Amino acid sequence: MSDHEHSRCENCIIRQMNSFKALKKEELKQMADNKKTKTIKKGDIIFKEGERLGGVFCVRNGISKLSKMSDNGRDQIVKIATKGEVLGHRSVISSEATNLSAVALEDMEVCFIPKSHIEEPLQTNPVFTNAVLKHMAQELKFADDIIVNMAQKTVRQRLAEILLYLEENFGTDKEGYLYLQLSRADIADVVGTATELLIRTLTKLKKEGLVLTAGKRIQILDKKALLHIVEGL
Amino acid sequence: MSDHEHSRCENCIIRQMNSFKALKKEELKQMADNKKTKTIKKGDIIFKEGERLGGVFCVRNGISKLSKMSDNGRDQIVKIATKGEVLGHRSVISSEATNLSAVALEDMEVCFIPKSHIEEPLQTNPVFTNAVLKHMAQELKFADDIIVNMAQKTVRQRLAEILLYLEENFGTDKEGYLYLQLSRADIADVVGTATELLIRTLTKLKKEGLVLTAGKRIQILDKKALLHIVEGL
DNA sequence: CGCCATGTTGACCCAATTCAACGAGAGTGG
DNA sequence: CCACTCTCGTTGAATTGGGTCAACATGGCG
């Protein structure tokens, strides 16, 4: 493996984007010596709901979905995780099996970090622990928002919200289409509905001139109108 | 104020039930000297969404609901918090305004603890910080479950689940009725639906012989059947 | 070229919301 | 004590939203 300077955690830019920035030099060195960088192909499973993770996965590049299977057999996507995010920290912290599955939506590069290198700083480095704590507090707040959305909003509202989210967080290509090309099924799994209804709802937005589609690609035409949909009915 | 032995945090039984058990004697002493015990009447607001809390509320007695207002004007109850639970820790940790409102469902006794007495141990007492961290990890997992339920399950399934939850967590009186008597509107706000539909769904369960109602009181007759509803359709 | 996964549409049925009306208990003030 | 009102629970009926099954299109990809 070509372990050059960029694969040393100390120099990893990703570190600036998450709680790892609170780690000390020695801790990072330890981590760098034990981490395993993995290349993951689009569609590959990083981990599956119910597995016990021996560590966390730090996303170096690419985008993944975190989902949970419902009793009725449908997947619900709970989060889309990208560069800089750490997967599996929740289950390492509570030393339980994961409640979520992680699947790559694009080719990815992730670093697997054995849990001992997380657990130890959690005991000894309060700055790190507090950074993680703050991060989880944020996640909890987002989760509350999602609960309310799922419980109270229509598919149309949730779709509008996700389209805006995708543009906000992943941007567009030069032609103005959303950079992240989720399949209709994936979008449906985020929204929490059947793909047929998702498609119908999207088609309606298209007819109203708020979005534009070309194959699986989607472009937002009227951001304001979408925002308006998200809020009122 | 009758500050007897039971009002010293060091001796508070509640402490055994939450992260405060990880606090050291001196920290508890400090806390005891600065906390304010408050009596809160049924229906009273403990705090409102958007407020900046100067500390956390430790529930000594009674039951409260934590809810968030949706854009469409309906309240969504996100959690029911009871004896031993700490309210407002999330917003203190991330030093933001609360995203939730807390209202008493019964007469309550809560201790208000100024945030400094939380923040300081978070910096200096890793055992405490880790206890809080673990607790939040649990909450996050529950939140994921709720998201999936809201997104994928019917009102009937969610109602069945909540009835079982209420029995499991708050028990029944001697006649077998659920101890915690939520109003139909509150149950609807937990389930995430209109009270009319909630009532209709409950009535159906009654006709099927799975539950029994007397005024606002509810009794579970067939736990197994309810469990079956929760899982399959 | 043909295959398989994905996207799309129709039609039907059940789930859920909404508005409207009414009933039943719980104060409250005369 | 009664009448009044207020909140809460309950039911009806109309309408819309959403799920499901089946059929068909389409578009990469071997």
Side-chain angles (χ1 to χ4, degrees), chain A residues 1-184:
Chain A
M1 192 149 293
S2 62
D3 264 320
H4 303 308
E5 60 288 348
H6 77 275
S7 82
R8 298 296 304 174
C9 299
E10 302 93 301
N11 304 322
C12 184
I13 348 114
I14 294 311
R15 188 165 62 82
Q16 291 308 321
M17 307 173 67
N18 60 36
S19 310
F20 293 161
K21 66 171 170 296
L23 289 174
K24 297 176 195 146
K25 258 195 200 124
E26 319 96 69
E27 292 164 338
L28 287 166
K29 252 180 211 159
Q30 289 274 336
M31 190 181 274
D33 292 339
N34 291 92
K35 74 162 203 303
K36 276 206 273 295
T37 303
K38 297 184 179 186
T39 305
I40 296 174
K41 287 232 178 313
K42 176 175 178 171
D44 281 359
I45 297 171
I46 304 174
F47 53 79
K48 268 230 270 290
E49 191 178 342
E51 270 181 31
R52 288 196 160 272
L53 306 182
V56 301
F57 297 83
C58 178
V59 179
R60 200 72 167 287
N61 234 311
I63 299 173
S64 64
K65 61 175 175 181
L66 290 167
S67 66
K68 181 168 162 54
M69 188 64 78
S70 166
D71 290 328
N72 68 16
R74 264 220 305 257
D75 242 14
Q76 176 66 38
I77 296 179
V78 165
K79 185 183 168 87
I80 297 179
T82 179
K83 191 191 285 188
E85 301 206 58
V86 177
L87 313 179
H89 58 305
R90 201 211 53 79
S91 57
V92 164
I93 286 168
S94 58
S95 29
E96 287 176 340
T98 352
N99 56 331
L100 301 176
S101 301
V103 174
L105 293 172
E106 308 178 322
D107 290 355
M108 298 181 75
E109 212 182 337
V110 306
C111 291
F112 175 77
I113 299 163
K115 63 179 172 187
S116 58
H117 295 89
I118 304 296
E119 284 166 343
E120 207 227 284
L122 278 181
Q123 301 300 328
T124 57
N125 180 346
V127 181
F128 175 63
T129 313
N130 272 278
V132 175
L133 195 56
K134 278 214 169 119
H135 180 247
M136 301 231 325
Q138 287 298 326
E139 283 190 299
L140 211 41
K141 179 174 145 188
F142 291 143
D144 284 339
D145 288 343
I146 297 177
I147 289 171
V148 177
N149 285 345
M150 289 300 179
Q152 307 267 4
K153 294 193 174 171
T154 64
V155 167
R156 180 177 165 87
Q157 287 176 295
R158 270 139 53 194
L159 172 57
E161 187 155 36
I162 280 159
L163 292 176
L164 292 169
Y165 171 85
L166 291 177
E167 182 170 85
E168 184 73 24
N169 288 275
F170 303 102
T172 56
D173 60 20
K174 44 252 152 181
E175 298 161 70
Y177 290 96
L178 294 179
Y179 167 72
L180 180 57
Q181 287 172 34
L182 292 176
S183 72
R184 303 288 134 118

Side-chain angles (χ1 to χ4, degrees), chain B residues 119-227:
Chain B
E119 283 166 343
E120 206 226 285
L122 278 181
Q123 302 299 328
T124 58
N125 181 346
V127 181
F128 175 63
T129 312
N130 273 277
V132 175
L133 196 55
K134 279 214 168 120
H135 181 246
M136 302 234 323
Q138 288 297 327
E139 283 190 299
L140 210 42
K141 179 174 145 188
F142 291 143
D144 285 339
D145 288 343
I146 297 177
I147 289 171
V148 176
N149 285 346
M150 290 300 179
Q152 306 268 4
K153 294 193 175 171
T154 64
V155 167
R156 180 178 165 87
Q157 287 176 296
R158 271 140 52 195
L159 172 58
E161 188 155 35
I162 279 159
L163 292 175
L164 292 169
Y165 171 85
L166 290 176
E167 181 170 87
E168 183 73 25
N169 288 275
F170 303 102
T172 56
D173 60 21
K174 43 253 152 182
E175 299 161 71
Y177 289 95
L178 294 180
Y179 167 71
L180 180 58
Q181 287 172 32
L182 293 176
S183 71
R184 303 288 133 119
D186 277 338
I187 302 180
D189 284 351
V190 179
V191 171
T193 188
T195 79
E196 294 98 321
L197 178 56
L198 186 277
I199 290 173
R200 272 185 256 265
T201 313
L202 189 57
T203 309
K204 207 183 287 180
L205 289 181
K206 193 168 145 188
K207 276 188 191 144
E208 297 170 24
L210 308 190
V211 303
L212 189 155
T213 64
K216 68 183 309 190
R217 300 193 303 160
I218 302 176
Q219 178 165 7
I220 293 179
L221 295 178
D222 191 340
K223 200 183 290 197
K224 244 178 207 157
L226 285 182
L227 255 169

Side-chain angles (χ1 to χ4, degrees), chain B residues 15-122:
Chain B
R15 188 166 63 82
Q16 291 309 321
M17 308 172 67
N18 60 34
S19 311
F20 292 162
K21 65 172 171 295
L23 290 174
K24 296 176 196 148
K25 257 192 203 129
E26 319 96 68
E27 291 164 339
L28 286 167
K29 251 180 214 159
Q30 289 274 337
M31 190 180 275
D33 292 339
N34 290 94
K35 73 163 203 301
K36 276 206 272 295
T37 304
K38 297 184 178 185
T39 305
I40 296 174
K41 288 233 177 312
K42 175 174 178 171
D44 281 358
I45 296 171
I46 305 174
F47 54 80
K48 269 230 271 290
E49 191 178 343
E51 270 180 32
R52 287 197 160 271
L53 306 182
V56 301
F57 298 83
C58 179
V59 179
R60 199 75 167 284
N61 235 314
I63 300 174
S64 64
K65 62 176 175 181
L66 291 167
S67 66
K68 182 169 161 54
M69 188 64 79
S70 166
D71 290 327
N72 68 17
R74 266 220 304 258
D75 241 15
Q76 175 67 38
I77 296 180
V78 165
K79 186 182 168 92
I80 296 178
T82 178
K83 189 191 286 188
E85 301 204 57
V86 177
L87 313 180
H89 58 306
R90 200 209 57 76
S91 56
V92 164
I93 287 168
S94 57
S95 29
E96 287 176 340
T98 352
N99 55 330
L100 302 176
S101 300
V103 174
L105 293 172
E106 308 177 323
D107 289 353
M108 300 181 72
E109 210 183 339
V110 306
C111 291
F112 175 78
I113 300 162
K115 63 179 171 185
S116 59
H117 295 90
I118 303 296
E119 283 166 343
E120 206 226 285
L122 278 181

Side-chain angles (χ1 to χ4, degrees), chain A residues 75-76 183-196 198:
Chain A
D75 242 14
Q76 176 66 38
S183 72
R184 303 288 134 118
D186 277 339
I187 301 179
D189 284 351
V190 179
V191 171
T193 188
T195 78
E196 295 97 322
L198 185 279

